[in-house]
Amino acid sequence: MTQDELKALVGHAALHYVIPGEVVGVGTGSTVNKFIDALGTMKDQIPGAVSSSEASTARLKALGIAVFEADAVAELSVYIDGADEIDGNGFMVKGGGAALTREKIVAAQSRQFVCIADESKLVKVLGAFPLPVEVIPMASARLVRQFEALGGQAKLRMKDGAPLVTDNGQHILDVTGLKIADPLGFESKVNQWPGVVTVGVFAHQKASVCLLGTSSGVTTLTFGA
Ligand code: 5RP
């Protein structure tokens, strides 16, 4: 199967976690796009969705699925999103689509995080994928130096010749050269650096389940608290 077919497979499998009558949390990215397309078949069974990006909101609305503000819904039973990397504990690197801050917000208000990913995303140690960090632009140069002190190289993400601007009006640094052996400690530490909006390590908001697309079908990984 191609990577695209594996993404479609897990996107469809995630429908199993959508509870009829309840609002569902929806992430961002090419795998989630497959889930959104599949969700269209259930649109009459759910009140709608809380979305983690303008891109997902547009796709949901195009299918006739209502989108609610995160603030309008106290708690979500489930949040479904992809990952750039996931390890054996359900800790993830996310933000390849620059939506990490809203993704973490919606994940935080959800009882369960269901990660959907093709098998290339499963890793032993996080850090091979360049770590996205959303930052306040005036802090960028200092944050580049702080990552250098940890042994990483941070580069400003560009789009069409200019710094990429997130849905929140901020910039993204992509950090290579890190081996994130302690995801919980790393996330806590970097999140405290002034100017960091969100670091793309999802350890405090880790996955509870991962639907992994493999050549022999969907493997379900479950992670303890
Ligand atoms: C977006 C994300 C995505 O979940 C992550 O980048 C995976 O994307 P894809 O499903 O396209 O591989 O974190 O900010």
Side-chain angles (χ1 to χ4, degrees), residues 7 28-32 81-84 94-100 103 121:
K7 289 179 180 187
T28 299
S30 57
T31 315
V32 165
D81 199 358
D84 298 304
K94 291 182 45 54
L100 63 164
E103 290 172 345
K121 307 292 183 67

Side-chain angles (χ1 to χ4, degrees), residues 43-44 57 67 71 75 82 91 109 122 140 145 154 159 207 209:
K43 70 176 175 196
D44 297 332
T57 295
V67 178
D71 257 0
E75 191 183 54
F91 298 143
Q109 73 185 99
L122 186 64
S140 284
R145 291 193 294 276
K159 188 180 176 196
V209 173

Side-chain angles (χ1 to χ4, degrees), residues 152-166:
Q153 298 83 46
K155 267 181 71 176
L156 187 62
R157 192 180 300 183
M158 305 293 284
K159 188 180 176 196
D160 302 330
L164 178 142
V165 178
T166 68

Side-chain angles (χ1 to χ4, degrees), residues 129-149:
F129 186 91
L131 174 68
V133 186
E134 184 163 2
V135 302
I136 306 282
M138 68 179 284
S140 284
R142 179 177 45 76
L143 290 170
V144 167
R145 291 193 294 276
Q146 285 195 255
F147 280 114
E148 264 169 19

